[in-house]
Structure formats: C-alpha cells, structure tokens
Amino acid sequence: MTTSKVALHGGGASKVSGIYEDHWTMYVLIDLLIGLAESITLEPPGTAGVGFEFFVDRAGMREWHQVKYQNSQLGKWTLAALQGEDVLENFRSKLAGDERSTCVFVSAHAAHPLGKLCDHATESTSLAYFIAHFLSSKELTDAFNDLQHKHWNVTDQEAWTWLRSRIKARTLDAWTLEERLRERAGAFLDGDPKDAVAALLGVVRGALYRALDRDELIRRLAEDGTTLRGTGASANEVHAATERFRTGVEESLVNASFLAREEVPRIARCLRSSQSALVTGGKGCGKSAVLAGVVRELLLSDVEVLTIDVTRLVRETSSAEVGRTLGLATPPAAALAAVAGNKPAVLAIDSLDSVGVNRDKPVELFRAVSEVMREATAYPNMAVLVSCRTEDLDTDTRLRSLVREPDPVAQFDVALLSREQAAGALVTAGHDLSKFDEDQITILRNPGNLRILTKVPPAELFDFATEQELIDGYLDWAVRT
C-alpha cells in the first residue's frame, strides 16, 4: 500500500484518506503488543464515537483519535477548518465530559496554529508563563482567545491545561507514516514487514465496534500465521552474548583490572533514565572498557543488557543474521525485549566505527547494524549505548546520521587516564617510575599504549619518545619472546 503526498480530490482522495487512516490505526495498534496500551476500540459504536476513528485505553486514561488525511483547500488545518469538520467541538465534548480523556488529531497537513499552541503549552510551567513568553504574536494570541471563548467556552486556565496535557496534534506525511509503520511492524512481528502489515490490517477489518486487548490481538495475528518477534528468545542466550563481550574486554585490560573511569556512572545514570548514549574518543582511549564498566553497573541495578561487538561481525546482511551470530534465535532487539519484559533494557553496540566508510567491512554489514539500531528504538523501555571513534564520526556522514537519528542521544567523550592512574598502573606492573620522563607518561595516559607497555617485563624495558616508537618497540620485544 503506497499513498501519495499530493492533494487529491473526489474518489481518489477518499481512497487515499482511507489508507492513511488504516496506517495510523495499525501504527497505534502495535502499542498493544508492547504494553503501551490496555485495549483499543475501533469505530466506537453509538453517539460516543462520532467524529473519532478509535479510542485507546492506557493506564488511567482514554485517548480519542481523529484522523484527517489532508485539507486540500488550504494545505493546513486552521482553527476555522477544524471547526468546520467539528474537530474542535468533538474534542470539547470529550475533554469536558471526562477528565480521563485526551484527544489526538493526526493529519498529513499541519494543524496550525493548534499544534504550535500545544507545543508552547507543553513547554510552559504555568498559564502566566505561557501568556508572557509563548503568545509571542497576534496570531497565537487571537487563536488562544478563539479556542477559549469561541470554540470551547472554558476559562483560560482550562484552555491552557487542555493544550498542555490533553491534546496532541501529530503531522505525518503519508510516505513517512507508511515507512514508520513497516519499520515498527518489522521490529515487533516475525516475517516480512509487508506481510506483518497485511496481518495487522486483517485485524483492523475484523475487530470493529468493540474493545480489542493484547491477548486477542496476538491470537488473531497467530491465526494469520504472524507471531511476535522474540518469542523464542532465551535469557541464557542474551546473558551469554553479553558475558562473551565482557570476557573479551577483560582480556585486554591494563594489568587485567578495570581502571576507575568517571564516565561510567554518568553514562549508566543516563541509560537508566531510558536516554540513549553515544561514547566517543580516540584510538586506544578505552571506549570498550568504559562500555564494559557501564554494562557491569547496569546489570547490578537489574537492567537487562545485550552487547554487540561490531568488530566480530563479518558479512551479516540483516538484524536476524546478527542475532544468529550472537547465538540468538531472534534479532538482537527482539531477543532483548522479550527477556526484559517491562524492565529497562540497554542494547550496547561497541566499535560502530568498524562499519564506517574508512574500513574494509562490506556495505551490507552497515545496513545490518543500522537495522539492529532502528529496531531497538522501537521499544519504549530500551535505550541504545553506542561507542564510536571520534575521527570516524567526524568524517563519516553515514555514521553521524545513524547515531543521531531518529532521536538525539547524550554524548560522552572518553578522556585519557590521569597521570596518577598511568603511574599507578606502571608501579603495579613492577616498573620503576624514575625510568620514565613526563612526555612518556603522557603517552602512557592512553590506555591502549599503557596496556602494551605493562606487558613488557621491567628488565626488558626499551626507550621510546613517540607513540609509534612505543608500538615498534613492543612488537620487536614480542617477536623476540
């Protein structure tokens, strides 16, 4: 089902409008599968459902959805246009009649200025602040007054409260909605995403006029041969994959022990609040060790974690193949989500730069890792932790778009070790600090450099003045031994 972005009229407009409405209904229907909704009622019967396509019951509230594909006359939904379609009146009846009700307006054309008023009200902490700082133009001031007095007949406090927390205006063109629906269906349902969408449409067609809950949705999809992704996921498989990553990192630590890194608790706090994080830094700065430290802290706080070392991937072409490489029965995000249930979860991806344009990995592998990351963002309780070399991120537009879309992430740059940490590690390895000058200590503040030198016995210590001389000296020593 492919829809058009141009303004249509007559029968063509009606057909495309119906497809657009179906796509939004299916997009929200997936909320049932992932625990974001308790039930959905399509085409509510009687006068209560007039003007609305469906309502969704979520924890303690009922969300009414009104979908209009486009306003072909104006290319946007003004307040007058919304009132002409009874949208504002329908919203008023729901909001005034039940304090648990919220209303959602969805269209390919923007609802302006309603949408802007909602955004500004959400950003304001009080009605006074909203009026003083966000009614910045005559258009917005007049629109707010019209809503209050002409369309809703409520106080200014009530109008602001409705705009702030009880009304949402969503604008999605038809192509974007269709694409997001297919991605969402592919993330949560097994099989080809197009087949999953078709199965969802079958449910929509056969479940009108009464409440549909999660169990019945899953049963109806199963009758069509469509099952939830991650159904065969094993906690042991997920935990084993993460443990392999941690073990591999520990084998490359300085003196076989984790050095305290101040970034670790900050990153862990970010992830526990369901905000994704990006860890950057130069070669050898210890990004993998930082990730392993974060993983260890998250596991101790009862967060489910699955870790992927991109350097270990070779020619995988899909998220399902990445899952199989990790020893999982399903794609990574689906496996992690199934094991986590409603608990917080973190998908950690180490060395994303390995699939950058400057590396020798096939382009299909980049697409597979991209698919893994996109699928992870579809789960509301899953954050993504990614590490990437700064130099690759700076020069590779593909990597930048991947780590920053669709949602912004918090970025943490891994610093060099302190002088005291480098010196302490040398002493632990048995070296005499008097043998090193300050320039050498500076070079050894890089954990990668420090690690290779601590492998060299003190009696066989060699001189070096640059990082390259350190590496060459280490290789010479390794060959001799």
Side-chain angles (χ1 to χ4, degrees):
M1 290 180 289
T2 301
T3 50
S4 172
K5 294 175 71 175
V6 299
L8 299 177
H9 305 273
S14 176
K15 180 179 179 179
V16 174
S17 178
I19 294 173
Y20 184 88
E21 179 184 320
D22 286 339
H23 282 173
W24 179 254
T25 303
M26 288 185 283
Y27 185 88
V28 177
L29 191 63
I30 293 174
D31 282 357
L32 278 181
L33 295 176
I34 57 180
L36 293 181
E38 298 169 352
S39 67
I40 184 171
T41 301
L42 309 176
E43 300 291 343
T47 58
V50 172
F52 295 94
E53 278 61 55
F54 58 88
F55 65 79
V56 182
D57 283 329
R58 306 184 190 270
M61 71 175 195
R62 175 162 291 180
E63 190 177 82
W64 296 84
H65 288 245
Q66 190 156 20
V67 184
K68 301 281 187 186
Y69 172 51
Q70 62 180 8
N71 184 349
S72 59
Q73 300 298 318
L74 299 175
K76 65 178 179 180
W77 292 98
T78 61
L79 293 185
L82 291 173
Q83 185 62 20
E85 295 286 337
D86 294 326
V87 173
L88 297 179
E89 174 58 27
N90 291 334
F91 279 20
R92 187 199 65 78
S93 66
K94 297 303 179 190
L95 299 178
D98 182 359
E99 63 180 14
R100 299 180 308 118
S101 288
T102 63
C103 295
V104 180
F105 178 78
V106 184
S107 178
H109 288 165
H112 180 83
L114 178 65
K116 184 172 284 294
L117 287 172
C118 288
D119 291 342
H120 287 343
T122 301
E123 294 169 5
S124 59
T125 55
S126 66
L127 171 62
Y129 192 89
F130 171 72
I131 293 174
H133 298 279
F134 288 108
L135 294 186
S136 54
S137 66
K138 185 176 185 302
E139 178 193 27
L140 293 180
T141 300
D142 290 346
F144 183 68
N145 288 332
D146 284 347
L147 286 173
Q148 178 189 346
H149 300 293
K150 181 177 178 182
H151 302 300
W152 290 339
N153 192 28
V154 294
T155 66
D156 52 1
Q157 182 70 36
E158 287 176 310
W160 172 74
T161 300
W162 288 7
L163 292 168
R164 186 171 190 263
S165 59
R166 301 185 65 192
I167 294 176
K168 296 178 183 177
R170 298 288 302 272
T171 305
L172 280 171
D173 68 74
W175 288 350
T176 300
L177 176 56
E178 183 177 7
E179 182 181 58
R180 291 186 180 178
L181 169 62
R182 190 175 293 124
E183 288 180 352
R184 207 173 195 222
F188 298 117
L189 296 169
D190 275 328
D192 188 295
K194 291 182 180 178
D195 294 335
V197 170
L200 288 168
L201 183 60
V203 173
V204 169
R205 294 282 188 262
L208 303 180
Y209 315 128
R210 62 185 182 84
L212 175 71
D213 63 17
R214 183 176 187 270
D215 290 341
E216 185 176 356
L217 172 58
I218 292 174
R219 180 183 62 77
R220 285 174 175 265
L221 289 172
E223 290 174 352
D224 195 53
T226 302
T227 56
L228 284 175
R229 270 194 166 188
T231 303
S234 159
N236 288 337
E237 292 173 350
V238 170
H239 298 161
T242 296
E243 189 59 31
R244 284 194 297 272
F245 168 77
R246 292 180 60 198
T247 300
V249 171
E250 288 174 2
E251 291 174 353
S252 63
L253 295 174
V254 177
N255 295 328
S257 63
F258 282 98
L259 296 171
R261 307 302 293 267
E262 61 90 17
E263 299 91 355
V264 169
R266 292 195 294 118
I267 297 170
R269 282 196 299 271
C270 172
L271 294 165
R272 279 195 291 264
S273 66
S274 298
Q275 184 180 9
S276 294
L278 170 65
V279 176
T280 57
K283 179 181 178 181
C285 71
K287 295 183 296 298
S288 294
V290 167
L291 250 69
V294 171
V295 168
R296 181 174 58 178
E297 188 163 321
L298 291 173
L299 291 174
L300 290 173
S301 58
D302 201 30
V303 176
E304 289 290 348
V305 183
L306 175 60
T307 308
I308 302 172
D309 182 355
V310 180
T311 64
R312 302 296 180 93
L313 304 179
V314 182
R315 292 189 176 279
E316 292 80 358
T317 60
S318 68
S319 63
E321 289 188 9
V322 173
R324 286 193 288 272
T325 297
L326 296 174
L328 306 173
T330 62
L336 178 58
V339 171
N342 292 324
K343 294 197 312 183
V346 172
L347 181 67
I349 299 177
D350 191 30
S351 302
L352 181 67
D353 47 272
S354 297
V355 291
V357 294
N358 296 324
R359 308 302 173 88
D360 58 358
K361 298 282 189 180
V363 66
E364 290 79 11
L365 184 56
F366 174 85
R367 295 183 186 132
V369 175
S370 300
E371 184 178 357
V372 169
M373 294 177 65
R374 285 198 309 272
E375 290 176 357
T377 63
Y379 294 88
N381 62 326
M382 189 178 299
V384 180
L385 171 62
V386 179
S387 79
C388 186
R389 285 187 188 177
T390 302
E391 55 265 39
D392 290 272
L393 198 61
D394 288 343
T395 59
D396 191 333
T397 56
R398 293 190 316 168
L399 292 179
R400 287 201 301 275
S401 64
L402 185 57
V403 300
R404 293 182 177 133
E405 295 293 340
D407 298 314
V409 296
Q411 184 169 341
F412 299 86
D413 196 51
V414 176
L416 294 175
L417 299 173
S418 67
R419 184 192 185 284
E420 290 72 23
Q421 284 179 306
L426 290 171
V427 171
T428 300
H431 287 285
D432 181 355
L433 281 182
S434 66
K435 302 291 186 181
F436 299 89
D437 61 32
E438 286 303 314
D439 289 339
Q440 290 175 320
I441 294 293
T442 298
I443 293 172
L444 295 173
R445 289 178 59 195
N446 180 294
N449 296 337
L450 182 62
R451 181 177 65 84
I452 63 175
L453 189 68
T454 54
K455 292 184 176 183
V456 179
E460 299 181 50
L461 181 65
F462 50 83
D463 191 30
F464 63 93
T466 65
E467 182 178 77
Q468 189 59 53
E469 287 181 6
L470 169 63
I471 295 171
D472 291 341
Y474 171 76
L475 293 174
D476 289 343
W477 170 81
V479 169
R480 292 196 307 272
T481 58

